[in-house]
Amino acid sequence: MRVVFMGTPQLAATVLEELACHHQVVGVFTRPDAVRGRGKELVPSPVKALAQTLPGVPVFTPRTLRDPQVQQQLRDLNAQVFVVAAYGAILPAEVLDIPPLGCLNVHASLRPRGRGAAPIERAILAGDEELGVCIMRMEEGLDTGDYCVCRSVSAGERTAADLTDELANRGAQALLTALSHLEAGAAQWMVQDPDQVTYAHKIEKGELNLTPEDERVMAVRKVRASGEAHPSRAVLAGKGVTLLAVRACEEEDAAVQATVDQHGPVAPGSLRFAHKRLLLGVADGVLEVLECKPDGKKAMAAKDFAAGLQGVKKGTLTWEAMNG
C-alpha cells in the first residue's frame, strides 16, 4: 500500500522501520528539528533520522498541518492511508479526509483506557498490571475513534523505557496486521466503551520527583515512569540527584533493622546507609536507592554515591523534595 507516515520519537521510528519493509512509504512527516538534551544545536527527531536513510522517501517537517500548502503536499503524495504514531501535532479534519482508506493511529494504550499524551507513564503510575497498544481509526475527537487490532504486555516491575521499546515492536506488528485487514476490506472495528474511558494527561514538570511524603509504592512507580524528558529527582544530603532505580523495603529487611537498632526509626526525610545500601525514609516505611545520577556526574550505584557523603555513617543525614 502507499502510506504516508507521521511520527516523531523513537517509538514512532521503530514502527516506521518495520512499516517500510512491507509497504511503500511515499512520505514521512515529523516535527521540526529541536534542541534536545543539554546541547544547543538543533537535532532531528528519531523519525527524521531514520527516514533519511530510506531511499527515495521525502521527509517533511511542517510546523502545522493546517497550512493549505502542506495539505496540498499531502494530497500530491497520493497515499491510500496515513499512519500516525506519536506525531505530536493535531491532524485537522482537512487532513483526516485526504486518504481514501483513512488515518490509522498506533497508540500505546489498551482502548478505551489511556486517551492522551502519556499512556505508558500514566498506566505505570496507576499500577496497571497490563499495558498495550491499539490501532485506532482517527477522527476529530481526542483518541475517540474505533479500534481494530490490540496487543498487550505484562507491566511487571518494568520501566517506561523498557515498556515503550516492547510496545513499539508490538505496535509495528499490530499495524501490519491492521493494514492487511484494511486492504482486504476485512477490518473489524470496535467502538470504545465510554464507561471505560480514562485520560492519560501529559506528565507535568517535576511531577515524578520524589518527596518524603510519598508512600513506597508510589515512589517506586514514579521512578519506573520516569525518563530523560521527565526525570525522578530529589535532594539527597544536599545534593541534587536523579533516581534511576529504587525498591521498597520490607519492615524485616536486614539493612533497615540494622540502622533502626543503631540510630532509631527511619523517619520520613531521613537518609541512612547500612549494609552498603542507601535507604530513604518515606511516609510508610523505607525506600532503597539502587542506582542514581548525581548532578554533573555519570550514573552510578547508590552505594558509590553514598560512599562520598560526609556523615552518612552517623545516621544524621536527610533528604528532601526537589524545588521546581
Side-chain angles (χ1 to χ4, degrees), residues 218-266:
M218 182 52 67
V220 172
R221 289 176 185 173
K222 282 183 175 182
V223 175
R224 286 176 51 216
S226 67
E228 184 176 344
H230 298 286
S232 184
R233 291 175 49 71
V235 178
L236 308 187
K239 300 180 183 295
V241 173
T242 297
L243 290 309
L244 301 177
V246 300
R247 74 174 185 90
C249 294
E250 301 298 332
E251 292 183 2
E252 63 272 17
D253 186 285
V256 175
Q257 288 296 326
T259 190
V260 169
D261 292 342
Q262 185 173 1
H263 303 292
V266 185

Side-chain angles (χ1 to χ4, degrees), residues 104 134-137 146-150 178 181 187-190:
L104 300 184
C134 286
I135 309 304
M136 181 179 60
R137 185 160 54 189
D146 300 344
Y147 59 98
C148 62
V149 181
C150 293
H181 292 172
Q188 297 183 358
W189 299 99
M190 292 169 280

